[in-house]
Amino acid sequence: MSLKERDKKHIWHPLTQHKLHPETTAIIKASGCILTDENENEYIDAIASWYTCMYGHCNPHITHRVSEQMQQLDQVVFSGFTHEPAVQLSEALIAILPDNQNKIFFSDNGSTSVEIGIKMALQYHFNNNDQRNVLIAFEDGFHGDTFGAMSVSGLSVYNGPFEEFFLDVKRIPTPNGKNHDFILKALEAIIANHNVAGFVYEPLVQGAAAMKMHDAKDLEAILRFCKSNQIITVADEVMTGFGKTGKYFASDHMESKPDIICLSKALTAGLLPMAITSCSQEIYNAFYSDEISKGLFHGHTYSANPLACTAALAGIELLRSDDIQTHIHRIIRSHKQFAKHIQEHPKVASVRQTGIIFALDIDIKMERYGNLRDKLFNFFMDNGVCLRPLGNTIYILAPYVISDEQLQKVYRVIEEALDNL
Ligand SMILES: *Cc1c(COP(=O)(O)O)cnc(C)c1O
């Protein structure tokens, strides 16, 4: 029996309605930008396995370091204990994070890093005897699938069964270049009626909202408003972190720096699950006390796993290398050219790009959507490219090491798909 047939017996996949989507693709190996399935078909991984393996799959620089670490120290409790990979990683992260970040808190997935960011923001005010119980978020954000993260995400039909259990969250529209005044008025109205603890947001690019992009200038105005009203800013850089916007972090594009930053996905270069919530000294100080109850009583069994820390360290070394920085700028230039070309296509409504993230919207009437997404996905896979369209949006978020030839193939297959519509 094939792997994908055996899979059907016992496995329940994430984000899947199995009755409508019973099929999976069984991948048996990955190297660089190429995934290989059980029938030896090859696919260019043009979404970097959900934005994780930015330096390529099974990158020898990373796998070698992790396998060495494995012989030395595999796992140890992180309450009351520490180790070299965690300390080194904290130093490496502080060196590249925005200047105001000074403390690193470990966990193990992106949703949880947001959960911790929310807890830090709420408890910061609680510890300062300031009653603040409301959060602000963008209408169409995505921050993960745990309860706090779902609460600050945009209201999705899929969250229906849980909505009555959500935190108290007020939503503002994402900047679109035209609603600047409207958003600031909405913020004024919210703080006039509520005690707002924090603002949770995806800076510049909203991944799950089909790679919606906004201007640094517009976000800057919102961040300034928050700062002047003691609203803790929590930047969810789970998707945007580690070079994707052309700078190390999306927050580097704004002058106002977030109080708290959430990281995961590319943090460990696609090798192992880990997440980080970093914060400024000021946030940390609100928890530093003679009273034990003012501490942040949050922890996970695998916090700061030494192997995951080692993968992250090796990844950051690559990110900072001239080699990877050159790749990043090559991809940015290449996408710009493709954007210029493809925006003329009659089936393309609009194109956009932030750093190495490229997206285009297909010009198609809602009632003709049907199974557009599935048709496109199948076409891409049949042509050896792994792309996962979101609604009528096709996006590329490929590993930095994708070759020019592979990139041209991705562009070609997208254009063919448009031609066939
Ligand atoms: C993926 C993602 C998350 C959730 O991370 P998980 O590791 O899947 O829990 C949160 N925020 C953003 C912006 C993401 O892209």
Side-chain angles (χ1 to χ4, degrees):
M1 221 196 301
S2 71
L3 206 47
K4 65 183 232 185
E5 290 309 315
R6 279 164 53 212
D7 168 281
K8 282 183 188 158
K9 242 174 130 176
H10 300 299
I11 294 181
W12 190 344
H13 284 269
L15 307 170
T16 302
Q17 173 49 272
H18 281 269
K19 190 162 183 193
L20 298 177
H21 290 105
E23 295 308 321
T24 52
T25 304
I27 299 299
I28 55 164
K29 66 180 176 199
S31 175
C33 293
I34 300 295
L35 301 169
T36 307
D37 76 10
E38 61 180 327
N39 302 315
E40 299 289 333
N41 296 312
E42 294 189 345
Y43 309 92
I44 298 173
D45 186 357
I47 57 161
S49 288
W50 264 347
Y51 337 139
T52 57
C53 53
M54 301 309 293
Y55 317 102
H57 286 277
C58 299
N59 183 303
H61 177 74
I62 300 170
T63 53
H64 175 73
R65 289 277 292 281
V66 173
S67 65
E68 271 185 349
Q69 179 59 41
M70 250 168 164
Q71 320 293 323
Q72 176 77 25
L73 173 67
D74 50 356
Q75 162 72 359
V76 66
V77 177
F78 205 59
S79 296
F81 293 83
T82 193
H83 51 77
E84 183 73 39
V87 174
Q88 268 190 35
L89 178 57
S90 69
E91 293 162 353
L93 279 169
I94 294 302
I96 58 170
L97 279 165
D99 282 349
N100 69 335
Q101 299 296 297
N102 204 34
K103 291 284 174 182
I104 299 292
F105 192 95
F106 289 92
S107 63
D108 43 29
N109 65 77
S111 308
T112 305
S113 72
V114 173
E115 214 68 28
I116 293 163
I118 292 171
K119 284 171 90 169
M120 283 179 178
L122 293 172
Q123 194 179 341
Y124 169 87
H125 295 293
F126 182 88
N127 285 357
N128 287 336
N129 293 317
D130 191 357
Q131 289 287 323
R132 290 174 181 245
N133 54 1
V134 167
L135 297 166
I136 295 179
F138 284 137
E139 273 164 6
D140 43 12
F142 174 76
H143 301 286
D145 291 332
T146 51
F147 272 86
M150 276 195 293
S151 300
V152 288
S153 295
L155 292 175
S156 143
V157 287
Y158 307 115
N159 287 340
F162 315 112
E163 267 171 36
E164 65 172 301
F165 306 103
F166 284 1
L167 301 171
D168 196 352
V169 177
K170 304 298 167 207
R171 293 182 168 76
I172 55 170
T174 306
N176 61 13
K178 293 174 218 139
N179 56 2
H180 176 90
D181 295 344
F182 180 84
I183 293 174
L184 288 177
K185 280 212 184 81
L187 283 168
E188 291 282 2
I190 293 169
I191 64 159
N193 296 302
H194 304 280
N195 295 319
V196 178
F199 169 50
V200 184
Y201 62 101
E202 291 163 276
L204 303 190
V205 187
Q206 298 179 294
M211 299 295 159
K212 222 176 184 187
M213 296 176 187
H214 54 265
D215 247 27
K217 214 165 64 274
D218 287 339
L219 183 54
E220 175 74 41
I222 298 174
L223 296 179
R224 286 207 181 157
F225 178 91
C226 290
K227 301 257 166 200
S228 57
N229 290 283
Q230 291 79 50
I231 296 168
I232 301 301
T233 50
V234 183
D236 176 355
E237 295 232 22
V238 169
M239 201 274 294
T240 50
F242 301 98
K244 290 169 192 142
T245 64
K247 300 196 182 214
Y248 288 148
F249 299 96
S251 294
D252 294 332
H253 295 265
M254 274 72 63
E255 224 175 275
S256 298
K257 301 306 174 196
D259 301 299
I260 295 169
I261 301 181
C262 309
L263 304 169
S264 190
K265 293 207 164 105
L267 167 67
T268 47
L271 207 75
L272 287 161
M274 188 168 72
I276 299 274
T277 309
S278 70
C279 70
S280 66
Q281 187 68 34
E282 192 200 334
I283 299 290
Y284 180 79
N285 287 348
F287 292 76
Y288 190 77
S289 164
D290 290 323
E291 289 171 62
I292 188 161
S293 64
K294 287 202 167 172
L296 180 61
F297 281 86
H298 187 111
H300 295 283
T301 312
Y302 279 98
S303 290
N305 170 263
L307 306 182
C309 289
T310 303
L313 267 168
I316 292 171
E317 284 167 17
L318 292 177
L319 176 67
R320 300 190 71 168
S321 69
D322 289 344
D323 183 41
I324 290 295
Q325 288 299 317
T326 307
H327 279 304
I328 289 175
H329 291 104
R330 171 180 59 86
I331 296 173
I332 291 175
R333 282 194 308 273
S334 176
H335 282 349
K336 270 191 187 140
Q337 281 206 328
F338 178 59
K340 221 188 260 167
H341 167 71
I342 205 72
Q343 72 188 2
E344 306 296 332
H345 195 286
K347 292 282 162 42
V348 173
S350 62
V351 303
R352 56 193 173 276
Q353 180 185 351
T354 300
I356 64 118
I357 307 169
F358 170 87
L360 68 81
D361 291 341
I362 298 172
D363 187 7
I364 188 166
K365 295 228 167 24
M366 202 61 167
E367 55 278 12
R368 288 195 45 229
Y369 265 32
N371 54 356
L372 173 69
R373 186 250 161 232
D374 292 352
K375 270 201 326 234
L376 288 169
F377 174 75
N378 292 335
F379 179 83
F380 294 141
M381 290 294 280
D382 290 345
N383 285 280
V385 175
C386 177
L387 285 168
R388 291 172 50 98
L390 293 160
N392 67 328
T393 303
I394 299 173
Y395 72 90
I396 309 171
L397 205 167
Y400 302 138
V401 295
I402 191 168
S403 69
D404 280 329
E405 200 185 358
Q406 289 167 331
L407 205 45
Q408 292 305 326
K409 173 165 179 186
V410 174
Y411 297 152
R412 206 163 53 238
V413 171
I414 290 175
E415 190 162 0
E416 277 169 29
L418 295 170
D419 291 342
N420 293 341
L421 281 175

